Amino acid sequence: KTSTIEMEAIFVVAGDLDGSTLLNSVEILTKDDNGVFTSNQIDVGGCSSIKTFPIATSNGVGAFFNGLPHACVGYKEGTESPKCYSFNKVGNWNYSFDLTTSLNNGDASSVVFGDWGVIQTPWWIVGGDTSDKGTELWGGNPPAQITNDPITLPEVLNQACIVKISDDEAFVIAIPQLIPSTTNMAWTYKLSSNTWTRVSDTLEQRDGPACGYIKNTAGRFVVLAGGTRSSTTEIFDLSTNTWTPGPDLGEDIQKGR
């Protein structure tokens, strides 16, 4: 008889060391009974260690897609790569699909929506080409790009941070590439109608921040944290369309996930 243990975990793939050396190592952080995440496994070359990612890379995107962890290559040295891989249940990386546009420019972001009609868990990827408003939507198993109703960004964006706020809605924060701005612009995007709604700009301009979604008894909120030379945070109340300062991180954090 086989038993299954379910646990909350964070899957960390590749990155760079001190902004210079690209990594392909993989680490899994698991949550204990006290709510603290600790490293459970790391690629150290032992017989039970996790297989390294096929390509050393930084600033790619990843998601839990089609029931498996997936990661797409971001910046890499030499020839750019559009490849995305899945991590199977026996601990190996398998090729999954090629993006139309590689993410070699870095600073991409993505979100997986809930089922959309016959398309299971579509994966929306923004980034790669910071000169236009195009994005990519992938779905199905095996994955195929969904092109019948393209998602076009409202502006050319730089270093977008995206977080899912419902099964068919995402919150997008970014610095506009072609418009002078002292803050980040923000929108909500609704997949079912392919529509954008502009919301209040952020309190500060943040280059490469992290963002997340919180829902509790007090309401629904988006948290925006860090960025280049920033340890501050701010919180957006989805019911009032307002940003308020949040607690300080204690240290500068850039390009967090």
Side-chain angles (χ1 to χ4, degrees), residues 65-94:
F65 175 61
N66 283 338
L68 295 172
H70 279 66
C72 297
V73 177
Y75 170 76
K76 67 177 289 291
E77 295 176 346
T79 305
E80 59 189 60
S81 172
K83 296 187 180 301
C84 299
Y85 298 86
S86 64
F87 188 75
N88 65 25
K89 295 181 180 179
V90 295
N92 295 316
W93 289 99
N94 293 326

Side-chain angles (χ1 to χ4, degrees), residues 23 25 36 42 81 98 120 128 130 139 145 154 156 159 161 179 185:
L23 304 174
S25 56
V36 177
I42 187 168
S81 172
D98 275 9
Q120 292 184 328
T130 56
Q145 188 174 2
V156 178
Q159 298 189 348
C161 194
I179 301 174
M185 291 183 175

